Amino acid sequence: MSLMAELNNKALRLGVPLSVHLDVTYRCNERCEHCYLDHEDYGEMTTGEIRDFLEQLADAGVFFLTVSGGEPLVRRDCFEIIEYARHLHFNVKLKTNALLIGEQEARRLRALGVEQVQISVYSHREEIHDKITKISGSLRRTLGGVRRLKEHGLKVTLANVLMRENVQDREGVQLLAEEVGAGYTVDPTITPMIDGDTSVLRLRLRPNQLSSVLHDPRLLGNVDEFCAPPPGVDAGVLDGYPCSAGHTFCYVSPYGDVYPCVQFPLPCGNIRRQRFLDIWKSSPQFEEVRAIRGKDLITCSSCRHLGNCTRCPGLAYMEGNMTGPSTADCEKSFIRTGIPTAGMLAGRTRQSVSGLLNIHPAPPAAS
């Protein structure tokens, strides 16, 4: 077992929130068409409130801290926040669009010992990337920030969210990452707006586009192994937890609201009214999330895909029931393997199995 796996298992046994994602602002200097956030400021936590919150996280046993937004660097105190987090010995990951990273900012992030900087890049073509961000010149400025960070020895990852408009550019972004010495991640998940508006889902990949991504050996390694039918459900899977949200991980908004995950908008408390550890240990909502096992999942508990499905309880929650199936994940499982999910067969997802079969025939069986 790897050290990280051991650390996660121990945190799970002890009920420790090992990782926290903190959005310090929803404000942003880009206006990405797929973004799920409201970019207005309705009363962000002050520097003092965030410093106090970080102390609470340290007392709770948190080790991994992701600082994000919005665009976190639009806060003038962002470096002060990161510096205090490092003073408290958090392993810090920063998510940014890098528009505001000049020579001085790159040097300071290196001096602070930030573990990793994740930067959103949507295309290697300026006209596509800038169209998505709605900011002219944004790709040029972002790549300038990437290169400065790399020059100062920081670990950088290019995060490529895939939509109908840019899916064909993923190889170009991957090559760009290799060129600048950065890592590369791809994410085909588009989520509803934070207020529940689902109109943004029109940007989700079409089934044939998603298939090309899920069967791309440059992204996923051995295609035959990946496309193999999932194993049958066993007792271990049925007694297991759906994901780490609310177990070893949680998300906190710029206003102090605590949720199981950034993609799981179930309000569990607010740190302006309660101590973080009290919310983590005693919130009825967290207790509800933690009580769920594989065997409790509506429809999914009988699904052949249960053991290796990417099912997100947050996406399921936004579709009406945190224990139900997630349309997007049912679609991924089916497209990966050609085997219909229990949710599709039961008609519990918005995409019917017959509709998907007509659009996307099952992939050839693994030899």
Side-chain angles (χ1 to χ4, degrees):
M1 183 183 293
S2 70
L3 180 60
M4 272 305 303
E6 281 190 47
L7 191 60
N8 274 294
N9 285 342
K10 187 170 184 179
L12 184 62
R13 288 197 308 272
L14 298 176
V16 172
L18 185 62
S19 304
V20 168
H21 178 132
L22 170 64
D23 279 347
V24 294
T25 184
Y26 285 157
R27 290 174 290 143
C28 191
N29 47 8
E30 292 183 332
R31 285 295 180 268
C32 299
E33 60 184 2
H34 64 287
C35 185
Y36 54 86
L37 297 174
D38 178 347
H39 295 300
E40 296 299 318
D41 178 2
Y42 298 105
E44 297 167 356
M45 287 188 286
T46 65
T47 310
E49 285 178 311
I50 292 179
R51 286 169 66 99
D52 179 69
F53 172 56
L54 293 177
E55 292 171 3
Q56 293 182 48
L57 293 186
D59 290 342
V62 174
F63 180 64
F64 298 103
L65 178 70
T66 297
V67 176
S68 185
E71 170 49 50
L73 293 179
V74 302
R75 279 190 69 133
R76 294 182 179 180
D77 61 354
C78 186
F79 282 99
E80 182 180 345
I81 291 168
I82 294 172
E83 182 175 14
Y84 197 64
R86 292 294 297 132
H87 168 72
L88 294 171
H89 305 297
F90 290 111
N91 176 295
V92 176
K93 174 180 179 180
L94 175 67
K95 290 189 176 184
T96 174
N97 57 36
L99 295 188
L100 298 176
I101 294 181
E103 183 69 21
Q104 180 179 346
E105 288 76 17
R107 186 184 302 113
R108 190 167 183 195
L109 288 172
R110 181 68 179 88
L112 288 172
V114 169
E115 173 68 19
Q116 181 183 9
V117 183
Q118 181 176 303
I119 298 170
S120 299
V121 175
Y122 304 109
S123 173
H124 61 295
R125 295 185 291 162
E126 194 168 314
E127 65 271 21
I128 298 299
H129 178 93
D130 291 4
K131 183 180 178 183
I132 290 172
T133 65
K134 301 180 183 177
I135 299 294
S136 178
S138 59
L139 179 60
R140 173 180 48 80
R141 292 171 61 191
T142 288
L143 294 181
V146 170
R147 291 189 172 94
R148 291 181 196 102
L149 290 168
K150 289 303 299 178
E151 286 168 2
H152 285 276
L154 280 135
K155 182 180 178 182
V156 176
T157 297
L158 303 190
N160 189 189
V161 175
L162 297 181
M163 296 161 273
R164 296 183 182 188
E165 193 169 16
N166 70 336
V167 63
Q168 72 276 10
D169 290 350
R170 64 186 184 277
E171 183 178 2
V173 179
Q174 191 171 19
L175 290 173
L176 182 60
E178 292 173 6
E179 176 191 320
V180 299
Y184 174 77
T185 63
V186 61
D187 184 3
T189 305
I190 302 295
T191 63
M193 296 287 288
I194 200 166
D195 62 3
D197 183 359
T198 59
S199 62
V200 70
L201 299 185
R202 72 187 186 283
L203 302 173
R204 277 182 179 173
L205 299 181
R206 297 183 180 90
N208 62 319
Q209 293 175 320
L210 184 58
S211 178
S212 71
V213 173
L214 295 181
H215 294 92
D216 187 340
R218 294 164 298 186
L219 300 179
L220 300 168
N222 189 309
V223 178
D224 288 340
E225 180 181 345
F226 191 75
C227 293
V233 174
D234 58 31
V237 174
L238 289 173
D239 287 329
Y241 302 104
C243 81
S244 62
H247 294 279
T248 58
F249 173 85
C250 73
Y251 163 69
V252 180
S253 81
Y255 312 119
D257 297 307
V258 182
Y259 302 93
C261 176
V262 68
Q263 288 187 173
F264 197 161
L266 173 69
C268 299
N270 186 285
I271 61 168
R272 282 171 159 166
R273 295 188 291 272
Q274 292 175 271
R275 302 288 292 175
F276 172 76
L277 202 52
D278 291 336
I279 297 171
W280 178 258
K281 288 184 174 181
S282 305
S283 162
Q285 292 80 16
F286 272 138
E287 290 178 0
E288 180 183 7
V289 170
R290 291 171 189 149
I292 299 170
R293 301 291 186 273
K295 61 189 175 185
D296 302 316
L297 300 177
I298 298 171
T299 305
C300 300
S301 60
S302 62
C303 185
R304 290 191 64 192
H305 295 273
L306 179 62
N308 52 13
C309 178
T310 59
R311 177 189 175 277
C312 171
L315 293 179
Y317 172 77
M318 284 188 273
E319 289 188 27
N321 192 328
M322 73 175 80
T323 64
S326 154
T327 297
D329 293 309
C330 279
E331 185 176 71
K332 288 177 191 174
S333 291
F334 171 71
I335 289 176
R336 277 203 326 265
T337 65
I339 299 173
T341 69
M344 293 163 62
L345 293 171
R348 290 185 178 273
T349 65
R350 290 175 292 180
Q351 188 75 274
S352 69
V353 63
S354 59
L356 274 173
L357 284 168
N358 288 334
I359 297 171
H360 172 75
S367 57

